[in-house]
Amino acid sequence: MNVVSSLIFRLNLRDVVKGLAVAVIVVILGALQEAFGQHGLDITSFDWQNILDVAWKAALAYLGKNFLSDEKGKVLGRIG
């Protein structure tokens, strides 16, 4: 399988799509954590602001890691 990775200090569309997927997964996991925690299935009582805050930070961290990684996945061309 030939996967095209972006060069160091660059992002491609695949990186952005995967970053958005990370954000969606974090929102789902955050909602499940709220549901199984203290709120039950009452989604109106979930702390959506906190869930979305964590989601955009996770997506930004993923994009930052990809921005700093070379085509082989090594961060700054050395780590990994």
Side-chain angles (χ1 to χ4, degrees):
M1 178 168 62
N2 188 10
V3 177
V4 177
S5 299
S6 58
L7 300 172
I8 192 167
F9 304 122
R10 295 182 187 201
L11 294 173
N12 59 28
L13 182 59
R14 185 182 196 110
D15 294 328
V16 174
V17 169
K18 286 184 176 182
L20 291 174
V22 167
V24 169
I25 290 168
V26 169
V27 167
I28 292 169
L29 292 176
L32 287 173
Q33 179 182 5
E34 291 277 326
F36 291 120
Q38 54 190 316
H39 299 294
L41 294 176
D42 182 15
I43 64 170
T44 60
S45 64
F46 289 4
D47 187 1
W48 288 109
Q49 182 177 358
N50 189 37
I51 292 170
L52 294 174
D53 186 50
V54 172
W56 77 260
K57 287 177 182 175
L60 191 61
Y62 180 86
L63 291 173
K65 190 275 298 176
N66 282 0
F67 183 74
L68 296 173
S69 297
D70 64 9
E71 63 278 359
K72 295 179 183 176
K74 292 184 177 185
V75 178
L76 296 175
R78 299 175 187 251
I79 303 168

